[in-house]
Amino acid sequence: MEEHFVWVTTRRIRPGALEEFERAWRPDPSPQGMRRAFAYWSEDAQEVTGVSFWDSKEACDSWRTSESEAQRRANMAAYVVEEREGFYRGRELAVPQR
């Protein structure tokens, strides 16, 4: 099975700030080595979880320490109340057919 490298970040944001947060959140330029990215919002629009898939841990680490990522985090800072993140390795689980 193919192994995946995943960076997950969950942020609690200020009430009513989702639209502004989304504008600040998008990376520019697109990170080298990132294969796919997803964002998920809680029903109250105050918690956002980002999930990104990477070629390797090194590619993710390179982005995380880049000037572009530092600028992106500075742009988001006004909207973020709390942040948690982690890097994971894993694989897709087979779901039994019914």
Side-chain angles (χ1 to χ4, degrees):
M1 294 205 156
E2 182 181 358
E3 187 173 55
H4 298 276
F5 301 94
V6 182
W7 180 24
V8 178
T9 306
T10 300
R11 295 178 176 95
R12 178 144 302 274
I13 60 174
R14 287 187 302 112
L18 181 59
E19 190 174 315
E20 295 90 352
F21 173 81
E22 282 185 289
R23 279 195 291 273
W25 175 81
R26 296 201 183 277
D28 183 36
S30 183
Q32 188 80 22
M34 186 173 74
R35 294 180 180 189
R36 298 178 76 184
F38 299 87
Y40 303 96
W41 295 266
S42 61
E43 285 188 41
D44 66 3
Q46 290 182 33
E47 189 169 274
V48 179
T49 297
V51 180
S52 54
F53 292 79
W54 296 81
D55 289 338
S56 66
K57 182 175 188 330
E58 293 77 21
C60 183
D61 286 345
S62 179
W63 169 256
R64 291 170 67 188
T65 59
S66 72
E67 182 59 37
S68 294
E69 173 62 356
Q71 182 60 53
R72 186 177 83 96
R73 285 179 178 265
N75 294 343
M76 291 186 292
Y79 313 110
V80 176
V81 175
E82 177 187 1
E83 179 176 305
R84 298 178 315 277
E85 66 179 60
F87 186 84
Y88 306 91
R89 292 175 30 181
R91 63 184 179 277
E92 184 176 357
L93 300 177
V95 178
Q97 299 294 321
R98 293 179 189 212

